[in-house]
Amino acid sequence: MTALSSLTAPQQPYSYGYLDAHAKRELRRRMLKAIAVPGYQVPYASRELPIARGWGTGGLQVTLALVGPESIVKVIDQGADDSVNAANLRRFIARMSGAATTTDAVAATLLQSRHRIPEERMREGQVLILQVPDPEPLRAVQPDMSKSAQMHADADYGQMWLSLYEQLVRFKQYIQGASYPSLVNGRHIISPSPIPRWDTPKLHLASHLTILSAGREKRIYAVPPYTTVAPLEFSDVPFQVEDQSGRACRTTGVRNRFMNEIPQTDGTSQFELSDSGYAEKLANGIMPASTYYDENGEFYHAGILKPAVRPD
Amino acid sequence: MYIAAKGGEEAIQQSEHLYHLLNGELTIDTVRMIEKSMPYLVDRVMGEGSLYSPELAALAIAQTGGDLYEAVLLLRAYRATQPRLAYAQPIEPGEVLTVRRISAAFKDIPGGQVLGPSLDYSHRLLKLDVLDGTREPQEAFQPAEQPAPPAYPPVAGWLREQGLLAEAKADATQAADIPDVTTENVLFPAPRPHRLQAMARADTGGVLSLGYSIMRGYGLIHPTVNELRLGHAEVTLTHPVTGEKFSAGRVRVSQCEVVSPGGDEKGYAIGFAATLGWNEVKLIAASTLDLDMASQDGDGAKHPAHEEEFVMYHTEPVESSGFCIHFKLPHYVTFASGLDNIRKVIQATYG
Amino acid sequence: MTHPLYTETEARVRESFLVLMHALSFPGRPQNLPAAQADDAFLLMAEALLDLETTCFTADMALDGLLAQTGARRADLASADYAFFPVLTDEHAASLALAKTGTLLLPDTSATLFIGCQFGGSQASRWTGPGIDNEITVRLSGLPDVFWRQREKAVSYPLGWDVFLVDGQQVIGLPRSTRVEPAAG
């Protein structure tokens, strides 16, 4: 008599990369659509993971669908590799895939990040996976998702421009902070995830592929390499990144990088590099790769960032 | 400080250990005790977790120290890894082994009102004697002289015979083709199966809150409970080799129908909800939502609980609780980005 | 703790997918499938994307039997999510007018086409768009002119179909976002 066990594969508590084959295949199909229509939010099923929703489950699903034993994974939260949530996600990815992990943005093949893009320039072949809490850039002007989807379908972005205009009238500048809405490939407005404005231009004509994934909201979208990403701005009032001038990292002394502000008891502030992997290299005397901003704060694509103009 | 220069991983492990240390040892006895003595809690977690397993639900409750959102997430995450092996036959309400079936619409109904197990008419007094070591008298319950019939016809059947309710259309959709909210993205207007599935696994408190807003008068309808039913249903499967139908066991199920004058419909319109496990409050609220969302807007002011998208997104327990607790994560980069703007505005406005 | 097993199937499916992802991310650049032999290429790509949640079409009898193994449901070209043409005849190319191009609300509900042809040759075209650093010149042969005319009709960005061109073990991505013009000179 045939033993029942001989007819089945050996029991494993989890599939490779935790997700089962169907879930991975679905994610992969959606990713290809996302790449084919840059900036369009592709709906996907978004399975539950053993991590709370809102804690990076969207990014994690993409990472798990891409990762293999030869991958080198870097996980960042607010720029830091060893924040507790980054550590937790990295531990889970490694546990489910056997992939190597790193804090070096140059060595990594897959970079999953919450709210930052590294200071060192990413290159072809690397994939940046951004965790997205709210994929809908139109949420503030239209909270109803079925209606905002129709606005994207019609490229009906009038209300978005109106809200920018109102900001100028009221504050004489754009007051959108992180998640600065940007037009991708001249067609779809995206939320680039809550990265600071400092990081937004890094998506423009980048060498690497960026995949943005919102697990709770079940939307996946992409910015392929060499794709235009234009932060929304009126031609006479240019988009501005956060002002980092006059700030020097208290441990490495470097300037013109995105800094964490550390309030001091005497009422002043000190600053330190937000990108902990980059800081680690500087501290250990390792030569970093070329950065997006040079030591004078000039962005590597000339002419993208313009001097501030205030409307009358 | 929870961004450690080194040792983030060590910190989270110790934090988890401490949580479990304070909740006492996790043992099989605790799990069995929860499963046996807290069936309504287990049902609530199974319903929201959309996984019928009293044992695993009890384990989830024990493992999380009774943090229900965490318990539901544990079940959901486990469920997501399980393959779908087969599709069960639909459950016919008239065939369910019914232990409780009541209707508020009529004094008496064919088959009779069956009160069954309930606290509805209890005096809500704490049994303080128990704290003194007094044992609960067990003999209070008197079984009826005649055993009650196992099954009862649906009240809606009588309404249909009277021409008060539209005929139920037979749905020939094969089980495998029924839209599945657990593996598909929901787009609006949602297919009815998505709506009913989403409410079946919705957060009990969230469904109550939105359902209550309708009941209090924001709604377009005033619900009457036509039938509320608790029972045990057979899970009937088809044997893959012989093709014979067989029962894989029984599950606790509950369902509720509310009715309201049907507007354009002939007679009454009906709202429906069903869950695994016995979840009465959730069902009455959910079937009220179902009925209200289906009713025509008319000139009435729109309210959130009338909007399917609003209801389905905001009663999802895993997503809503997850997003809520994510605000505990550091947000200093986004804060710094906003701070830069505020400083520039202050500079420009006040010099 | 050891990680779950990276099975042979898991590895093959993942590697094929990564090839497709790179092909679509860098249109015009040939990528190598992990195919033992040329006949496997279409099946490898199918295996990476198809299962019972998808529909597929092919006019190729031999491939049709293999595609069924993925669990994908057969469909006519007008409703198929994925369509396979190991050889694209003039007639096939004309029929592409039927393939789904998606809707403005859901442009992802469009067809993906896998088409055999030869890389290299005298017909050169200049491709620009997302994934292409400035521009790239692509040389292809074995694609009927009708194909290009149908593509022009089908693509009204963001509507349109996405194409994987296949020569042996190599694949080139041609997403709807790519603009194709005859190469100058």
Side-chain angles (χ1 to χ4, degrees):
Chain A
M1 214 170 121
T2 314
L4 205 56
S5 60
S6 70
L7 298 172
T8 61
Q11 170 77 19
Q12 282 202 94
Y14 301 105
S15 300
Y16 182 80
Y18 185 81
L19 298 169
D20 65 63
H22 281 275
K24 271 184 288 213
R25 210 179 270 112
E26 194 235 2
L27 279 158
R28 290 167 179 169
R29 288 195 296 264
R30 309 290 187 201
M31 279 186 232
L32 293 185
K33 297 287 188 186
I35 293 165
V37 189
Y40 162 66
Q41 299 169 43
V42 183
Y44 74 110
S46 190
R47 313 289 159 116
E48 274 105 354
L49 294 176
I51 302 281
R53 277 281 202 251
W55 292 58
T57 56
L60 190 56
Q61 287 178 79
V62 169
T63 300
L64 294 172
L66 292 177
V67 72
E70 84 293 349
S71 301
I72 304 169
V73 180
K74 174 177 165 79
V75 183
I76 325 167
D77 190 322
Q78 310 280 303
D81 293 89
D82 34 20
S83 80
V84 283
N85 200 42
N88 193 34
L89 293 174
R90 187 171 51 242
R91 190 171 61 134
F92 184 73
I93 296 162
R95 181 171 166 183
M96 289 296 160
S97 70
T101 60
T102 184
T103 57
D104 182 351
V106 177
T109 56
L110 296 176
L111 291 87
Q112 177 171 335
S113 174
R114 174 169 174 265
H115 300 189
R116 277 309 316 271
I117 298 177
E119 299 289 355
E120 291 167 284
R121 281 187 232 166
M122 291 183 62
R123 58 173 194 281
E124 284 190 5
Q126 287 183 307
V127 184
L128 173 66
I129 298 135
L130 289 174
Q131 300 171 200
V132 182
D134 179 2
E136 185 46 76
L138 308 179
R139 190 61 56 86
V141 296
Q142 176 50 266
D144 196 337
M145 263 179 112
S146 23
K147 289 181 188 145
S148 55
Q150 188 63 51
M151 289 162 74
H152 286 293
D154 300 337
D156 170 13
Y157 294 136
Q159 286 191 55
M160 203 62 194
W161 286 106
L162 183 62
S163 82
L164 274 189
Y165 176 73
E166 283 170 349
Q167 291 175 17
L168 290 185
V169 170
R170 222 170 138 203
F171 302 105
K172 295 193 180 296
Q173 64 174 53
Y174 308 119
I175 46 126
Q176 174 81 33
S179 319
Y180 196 92
S182 304
L183 187 67
V184 177
N185 191 31
R187 177 57 178 80
H188 287 95
I189 291 183
I190 64 160
S191 159
S193 86
I195 53 173
R197 304 190 299 286
W198 180 262
D199 289 346
T200 310
K202 298 176 183 175
L203 294 171
H204 175 66
L205 299 179
S207 303
H208 70 278
L209 167 65
T210 303
I211 298 178
L212 302 101
S213 179
R216 193 174 45 79
E217 298 280 344
K218 305 181 173 70
R219 295 289 186 278
I220 203 164
Y221 50 110
V223 178
Y226 311 114
T227 300
T228 58
V229 177
L232 296 192
E233 60 184 0
F234 292 104
S235 56
D236 52 344
V237 184
F239 159 86
Q240 297 295 307
V241 302
E242 294 84 358
D243 187 4
Q244 304 298 325
S245 62
R247 298 178 167 190
C249 173
R250 64 181 179 184
T251 28
T252 63
V254 296
R255 294 171 177 273
N256 287 305
R257 303 285 173 263
F258 193 81
M259 299 289 178
N260 294 331
E261 181 170 354
I262 316 291
Q264 300 298 302
T265 46
D266 65 0
T268 62
S269 291
Q270 292 191 1
F271 299 94
E272 64 176 23
L273 281 169
S274 157
D275 184 340
S276 71
Y278 178 68
E280 189 181 309
K281 278 190 183 172
L282 296 180
N284 293 330
I286 298 166
M287 185 68 176
S290 302
T291 48
Y292 288 100
Y293 293 85
D294 69 13
E295 55 226 41
N296 301 316
E298 295 297 323
F299 193 66
Y300 81 123
H301 285 319
I304 300 300
L305 297 176
K306 303 174 201 80
V309 175
R310 282 185 173 274
D312 300 327
Chain B
M1 182 157 163
Y2 64 136
I3 301 273
K6 290 274 178 247
E9 299 202 13
E10 176 66 12
I12 54 183
Q13 274 162 14
Q14 290 306 323
S15 170
E16 188 179 337
H17 292 331
L18 182 59
Y19 185 89
H20 292 306
L21 178 74
L22 295 178
N23 295 338
E25 197 186 355
L26 177 63
T27 65
I28 180 81
D29 293 340
T30 316
V31 176
R32 294 280 175 256
M33 190 277 291
I34 291 170
E35 187 183 343
K36 188 163 179 289
S37 64
M38 300 184 184
Y40 291 90
L41 179 63
V42 167
D43 279 3
R44 180 170 174 164
V45 170
M46 290 196 302
E48 297 182 18
S50 58
L51 180 73
Y52 193 91
S53 171
E55 186 179 47
L56 292 181
L59 173 60
I61 293 164
Q63 190 180 325
T64 56
D67 183 326
L68 294 191
Y69 288 112
E70 288 292 340
V72 169
L73 174 56
L74 274 181
L75 275 196
R76 288 270 191 101
Y78 177 80
R79 183 194 190 285
T81 65
Q82 298 303 303
R84 172 163 283 147
L85 299 175
Y87 293 92
Q89 295 293 311
I91 295 167
E92 292 295 340
E95 293 167 12
V96 166
L97 173 57
T98 302
V99 300
R100 172 165 161 79
R101 185 202 64 155
I102 53 170
S103 173
F106 299 98
K107 182 166 187 294
D108 205 356
I109 43 178
Q113 304 266 14
V114 182
L115 208 48
S118 174
L119 286 177
D120 283 350
Y121 302 99
S122 69
H123 293 155
R124 274 66 167 197
L125 298 170
L126 278 173
K127 294 180 176 174
L128 296 168
D129 293 356
V130 173
L131 298 181
D132 299 332
T134 308
R135 289 188 69 101
E136 267 281 274
Q138 291 295 309
E139 70 285 354
F141 177 70
Q142 295 289 331
E145 286 176 13
Q146 297 289 325
Y152 298 83
V155 178
W158 185 85
L159 287 177
R160 289 203 171 92
E161 280 170 23
Q162 294 287 314
L164 294 168
L165 201 59
E167 282 303 313
K169 297 176 201 90
D171 189 333
T173 309
Q174 292 295 302
D177 296 329
I178 296 174
D180 182 350
V181 79
T182 68
T183 56
E184 294 157 14
N185 190 273
V186 178
L187 300 170
F188 297 96
R192 185 161 170 77
H194 276 175
R195 183 203 281 193
L196 294 180
Q197 292 159 7
M199 290 205 296
R201 56 193 231 141
D203 179 46
T204 304
V207 166
L208 172 62
S209 171
L210 293 180
Y212 177 52
S213 73
I214 292 169
M215 298 167 189
R216 252 191 94 246
Y218 280 86
L220 304 165
I221 54 113
H222 182 81
T224 300
V225 174
N226 190 53
E227 181 183 297
L228 174 69
R229 186 188 288 254
L230 309 185
H232 301 268
E234 304 279 355
V235 178
T236 308
L237 301 178
T238 307
H239 194 280
V241 179
T242 66
E244 297 282 326
K245 290 195 170 47
F246 70 99
S247 172
R250 281 182 186 155
V251 292
R252 277 154 68 107
V253 291
S254 54
Q255 65 162 34
C256 181
E257 291 167 354
V258 296
V259 292
S260 176
D264 297 339
E265 297 262 329
K266 177 184 163 196
Y268 286 89
I270 197 160
F272 178 78
T275 65
L276 290 170
W278 296 349
N279 299 288
E280 292 190 16
V281 169
K282 179 177 181 175
L283 284 177
I284 299 169
S287 52
T288 301
L289 286 166
D290 181 50
L291 183 54
D292 190 87
M293 290 189 286
S295 63
Q296 294 303 310
D297 294 351
D299 297 330
K302 285 203 175 172
H303 58 100
H306 182 62
E307 301 298 321
E308 190 178 54
E309 179 174 331
F310 190 95
V311 171
M312 285 173 63
Y313 274 129
H314 298 110
T315 59
E316 191 2 87
V318 167
E319 286 160 14
S320 58
S321 65
F323 196 56
C324 179
I325 61 173
H326 114 281
F327 285 102
K328 292 184 281 187
L329 286 174
H331 280 78
Y332 54 80
V333 167
T334 34
F335 187 80
S337 185
L339 184 60
D340 173 78
N341 285 333
I342 298 288
R343 281 181 173 145
K344 284 173 181 164
V345 171
I346 290 173
Q347 171 86 39
T349 313
Y350 304 100
Chain C
M1 182 180 165
T2 55
H3 62 81
L5 198 63
Y6 188 57
T7 62
E8 210 175 295
T9 312
E10 185 76 45
R12 190 175 62 238
V13 168
R14 173 175 168 265
E15 282 163 31
S16 302
F17 163 71
L18 290 179
V19 166
L20 296 178
M21 185 180 85
H22 291 307
L24 216 54
S25 303
F26 298 100
R29 290 196 212 173
Q31 310 280 339
N32 291 310
L33 281 160
Q37 52 197 42
D39 293 352
D40 296 339
F42 285 91
L43 193 58
L44 279 176
M45 294 185 291
E47 195 184 31
L49 301 179
L50 270 54
D51 58 26
L52 47 92
E53 289 172 31
T54 58
T55 56
C56 68
F57 168 85
T58 182
D60 186 292
M61 292 305 285
L63 186 59
D64 192 53
L66 295 172
L67 291 181
Q69 292 171 15
T70 64
R73 289 160 285 150
R74 286 195 185 87
D76 55 22
L77 181 56
S79 60
D81 302 323
Y82 297 90
F84 296 79
F85 300 93
V87 176
L88 190 76
T89 62
D90 279 7
E91 197 181 333
H92 292 147
S95 72
L96 292 179
L98 297 170
K100 292 191 291 186
T101 59
T103 64
L104 283 173
L105 202 55
L106 297 167
D108 57 312
T109 55
S110 58
T112 302
L113 313 178
F114 300 83
I115 297 173
C117 66
Q118 289 80 50
F119 299 169
S122 56
Q123 276 189 317
S125 52
R126 181 177 156 268
W127 295 14
T128 53
I132 299 166
D133 189 6
N134 196 20
E135 62 172 63
I136 187 169
T137 301
V138 181
R139 292 176 183 280
L140 299 166
S141 47
L143 271 182
D145 289 344
V146 189
F147 167 79
W148 295 109
R149 288 203 292 277
Q150 290 297 355
R151 183 177 187 270
E152 208 160 298
K153 281 188 204 161
V155 176
S156 171
Y157 191 83
L159 305 184
W161 18 261
D162 308 309
V163 184
F164 291 100
L165 299 169
V166 188
D167 180 3
Q169 303 168 238
Q170 289 201 306
V171 54
I172 287 178
L174 172 58
R176 69 193 82 176
S177 57
T178 301
R179 289 175 295 280
V180 178
E181 297 161 278

